[in-house]
Amino acid sequence: MTIQTINQNIQDYKNQLLTHSLYEKVKTIDDLHCFLENHIYAVWDFMSLLKALQNKLTCTSTPWLPVGNPEVRYLINEIVVAEETDLALDGSRQSHFEMYLDAMQQCGANTIPVTNFLENVKNTQNIFVSIKQSDLHPNVKAFLDFTFRVIEEGKSHKIAAAFTFGREDLIPSMFTEILKNFQTNFPETDLSKLIYYFE
């Protein structure tokens, strides 16, 4: 199956996401906080898919060995560098996840639930137990559960498909729609870090 065929097969789903009513529903600062406090898990999920790809398609253990195709290694490692150590608005180095947390704090969204969740992940050392034990919205739980089941299955092509077609190819267009709405509805709120992140 070609990339073009895959894109044609998923185009209706992409259109549904790009025209989703959610974008128009974020009208108040409380709506914005609710959005950010749930969307942060998608940001973290993205980082987890990327690291799974790096583990599968490059060498991340010792002794180092030249694993796989050098062009693929370069592509994956280049994305990892950008996602884990990008330039933040102030010129410091941060992961995109950390940038998002900072943006949440700047506009007053609550970051305690996500930091507590990640602490629980460290303590349990079992993502599925942490998801189940959490107070996350059932849809967020289902989203994370699906992603980590794909990762756990360990099939590179499935991880790459979730990363590419479900995130990397789709997100820039989604962010454009989200940004339009935020800039219209929150002209008085300092969203500089959030806008920087989305751009």
Side-chain angles (χ1 to χ4, degrees):
M1 187 176 287
T2 66
I3 300 272
Q4 184 179 8
T5 305
I6 294 170
N7 279 324
Q8 287 170 347
N9 289 342
I10 64 173
Q11 190 59 51
D12 287 345
Y13 297 110
K14 287 171 75 172
N15 291 341
Q16 287 176 35
L17 286 170
L18 295 176
T19 59
H20 200 281
S21 62
L22 172 68
Y23 309 128
E24 297 170 6
K25 292 180 180 176
V26 181
K27 294 181 178 178
T28 69
I29 197 70
D30 287 340
D31 295 339
L32 177 62
H33 290 169
C34 182
F35 172 82
L36 298 175
E37 290 163 13
N38 286 282
H39 184 249
I40 185 67
Y41 296 95
V43 176
W44 180 69
D45 159 280
F46 177 90
M47 301 291 290
S48 299
L49 279 169
L50 176 58
K51 293 307 284 186
L53 277 178
Q54 187 182 36
N55 288 335
K56 288 285 177 191
L57 302 176
T58 74
C59 185
T60 57
S61 61
T62 55
W64 179 88
L65 296 168
V67 173
N69 181 307
E71 293 298 324
V72 172
R73 289 195 308 255
Y74 178 79
L75 173 65
I76 296 300
N77 287 326
E78 183 181 42
I79 296 170
V80 169
V81 167
E83 293 293 328
E84 286 193 329
T85 57
D86 208 351
L87 282 176
L89 187 59
D90 66 2
S92 66
R93 293 279 176 191
Q94 284 187 314
S95 70
H96 286 184
F97 178 81
E98 292 162 314
M99 283 185 201
Y100 200 96
L101 281 177
D102 281 355
M104 288 175 68
Q105 290 168 341
Q106 182 186 48
C107 71
N110 187 359
T111 59
I112 293 171
V114 70
T115 55
N116 286 347
F117 175 76
L118 294 183
E119 191 61 34
N120 185 267
V121 170
K122 284 184 214 168
N123 292 336
T124 65
Q125 296 189 6
N126 185 317
I127 184 61
F128 299 106
V129 169
S130 294
I131 292 168
K132 188 173 184 177
Q133 289 177 348
S134 75
D135 293 329
L136 296 174
H137 188 282
N139 292 343
V140 174
K141 285 185 175 190
F143 179 81
L144 291 175
D145 188 72
F146 174 81
T147 296
F148 283 95
R149 297 236 176 254
V150 169
I151 290 170
E152 184 183 53
E153 189 179 351
K155 295 187 176 175
S156 300
H157 67 287
K158 288 187 176 183
I159 298 168
F163 180 81
T164 304
F165 298 110
R167 313 296 192 283
E168 190 72 359
D169 187 46
L170 182 63
I171 288 172
S173 299
M174 285 175 57
F175 282 1
T176 300
E177 292 305 311
I178 292 169
L179 262 182
K180 282 183 204 169
N181 180 41
F182 288 178
Q183 290 170 325
T184 301
N185 289 339
F186 307 103
E188 305 299 317
T189 306
D190 185 1
L191 299 179
S192 56
K193 290 182 178 182
L194 189 62
I195 290 167
Y196 180 82
Y197 169 86
F198 280 126
E199 287 178 342

